[in-house]
Amino acid sequence: MKKWLAVFLVATLIMSMLAGCTSPATNEEGTGEPEESGDKVYRVAYVARAQADSFAAWLANAVKEEADKYDNIVVDIFDGQASDSTQNALIENAITSKYDAIIIQPNNGEAQRPYAEKAVAAGIITITTNARIDGIQGASSVDADPYEQAKVNAVVALEQIPQNANVVVLKGPPGNFHADARRDSWQKEFFDKRPDVKIVGEEIANWNKDEAMNYMETWVQANSKIDAIIAMNDNMAAGALEVIKDDSRFSEILAYGVDGTAEAVLLIEEGVMTSTSLQSAYALASALLDTSNKLLTGVETQIDIDIDCPLINKDNVTEYIEMHKRAGAIR
């Protein structure tokens, strides 16, 4: 009797071990999904720049929604909190966790470069986006052309901003490809052609609305005349406009941004903001998931693409309001 009992216990233990070996795998966030019917389910880490940044939040949400369309891809989203050290730690963790792909939206491209290179060296598919990090052998990218994004605004501003105007400039973080290229574009396409225009305030507001508000409060105290706000993104433009919304001295002020966020298009509709250029998070997300799928499944080995950047102003803003309504960003 004891012999049969021992055999039964050994058989039970072996069956338990086999069951454990075939149980569904999960990633560190607990959101991984099992392989079903022999089909590979790929784990993708999306490392966002900062969820407090309106565009970064828009893009992260769009990526999450787009991923739902793919049965073979699971995306985990991580918040870099506008911190290089936080982002770099998240990338390293994704490498250690052996994700199949890592998508990086850099806070500062050069600071994230060594960690993106580590991901490539580890054999992980690596994609940089908004802004791409150029020159990483083996990495792909999905982005927009920041020089053109600023240029479409600067070209119309040549005629819109009055002679001998006073303007303020709000910049993104130094070293960020988009921040630097947009400012360079404004310089070449506007300021070099309009030497009469005076910059009475220029600061780095790190894409941040609150920082932009703080700088604008200082500028309006020092200048009774400001004719235009030139911001390298919509979030900073909206922050500056918030400061002066009830100040009659600036009722005719012009304001330019980049991104085409829901907030920006509503401000354009109200006649508060002048124009922006679209950097569609929906288009980026669609391209990111399509690119990820092609790279993960071996259809392509290298992909580098840019999305379009049309100008949004009072003449066509309704089209983009409807775009945001369809996506649920405007109700």
Side-chain angles (χ1 to χ4, degrees):
M1 181 69 176
K2 289 182 179 179
K3 181 179 178 181
W4 283 106
L5 179 60
V7 171
F8 174 76
L9 290 173
V10 170
T12 302
L13 178 60
I14 291 172
M15 290 177 68
S16 297
M17 291 174 64
L18 288 172
C21 290
T22 57
S23 62
T26 60
N27 60 32
E28 289 196 351
E29 294 297 305
T31 57
E33 294 183 0
E35 296 181 12
E36 298 178 358
S37 304
D39 294 331
K40 172 74 173 177
V41 176
Y42 299 99
R43 297 167 60 231
V44 177
Y46 178 80
V47 183
R49 180 173 63 238
Q51 292 287 57
D53 174 334
S54 62
F55 183 81
W58 176 21
L59 181 54
N61 290 335
V63 166
K64 183 177 180 181
E65 291 172 5
E66 189 68 21
D68 290 340
K69 300 176 184 178
Y70 290 79
D71 294 333
N72 64 329
I73 294 176
V74 174
V75 176
D76 291 330
I77 295 175
F78 302 93
D79 185 0
Q81 301 176 15
S83 163
D84 288 336
S85 59
T86 299
Q87 266 210 323
N88 295 341
L90 289 170
I91 297 167
E92 281 203 303
N93 184 64
I95 295 169
T96 302
S97 299
K98 297 182 179 180
Y99 276 85
D100 298 296
I102 302 174
I103 301 172
I104 304 167
Q105 183 197 24
N107 182 58
N108 176 341
E110 290 310 303
Q112 277 73 68
R113 179 183 294 277
Y115 296 86
E117 289 172 343
K118 283 184 183 180
V120 173
I124 296 172
I125 288 168
T126 305
I127 305 168
T128 61
T129 188
N130 185 243
R132 68 164 46 93
I133 306 174
D134 280 326
I136 300 178
Q137 190 68 31
S140 293
S141 64
V142 175
D143 203 5
D145 185 336
Y147 190 96
E148 289 299 319
Q149 289 173 333
K151 181 179 177 179
V152 296
N153 282 293
V155 168
V156 296
L158 284 170
E159 301 297 326
Q160 293 171 337
I161 294 178
Q163 287 292 310
N164 303 312
N166 288 347
V167 304
V168 294
V169 179
L170 290 159
K171 300 187 292 185
N176 180 282
F177 172 50
H178 277 218
D180 293 345
R182 290 174 192 172
R183 182 60 183 88
D184 183 50
S185 181
W186 269 100
Q187 186 63 44
K188 293 176 180 176
E189 304 296 339
F190 179 79
F191 289 111
D192 288 352
K193 299 174 182 179
R194 288 290 306 274
D196 59 293
V197 174
K198 181 180 180 182
I199 299 174
V200 296
E202 180 166 8
E203 294 289 351
I204 296 165
N206 295 304
W207 309 128
N208 188 277
K209 190 173 187 176
D210 291 337
E211 289 186 40
M213 290 178 69
N214 290 335
Y215 288 126
M216 193 64 179
E217 286 170 355
T218 299
W219 292 333
V220 297
Q221 290 172 10
N223 300 277
S224 59
K225 176 178 177 286
I226 299 176
D227 299 289
I229 298 162
I230 296 172
M232 303 305 118
N233 82 337
D234 291 341
N235 210 32
M236 296 186 294
L241 287 167
E242 179 69 20
V243 171
I244 58 171
K245 65 180 181 180
D246 297 320
D247 192 330
S248 60
R249 293 178 300 164
F250 305 105
S251 60
E252 301 299 319
I253 198 167
L254 303 171
Y256 305 89
V258 172
D259 285 336
T261 62
E263 181 179 27
V265 297
L266 290 174
L267 288 172
I268 291 171
E269 183 187 41
E270 294 169 18
V272 175
M273 191 165 168
T274 310
S275 68
T276 184
S277 61
L278 180 66
Q279 180 172 241
S280 173
Y282 310 126
L284 280 172
S286 177
L288 280 168
L289 268 296
D290 181 63
T291 294
S292 297
N293 187 50
K294 287 175 178 175
L295 294 172
L296 287 164
T297 57
V299 174
E300 301 279 354
T301 58
Q302 175 81 31
I303 299 174
D304 294 287
I305 56 174
D306 282 333
I307 62 169
D308 293 333
C309 53
L311 181 73
I312 304 174
N313 59 22
K314 63 181 181 180
D315 296 329
N316 64 357
V317 71
T318 302
E319 172 187 346
Y320 298 98
I321 289 174
E322 289 303 315
M323 176 191 75
H324 282 297
K325 283 182 176 179
R326 288 193 299 272
I330 295 176
R331 301 191 183 282

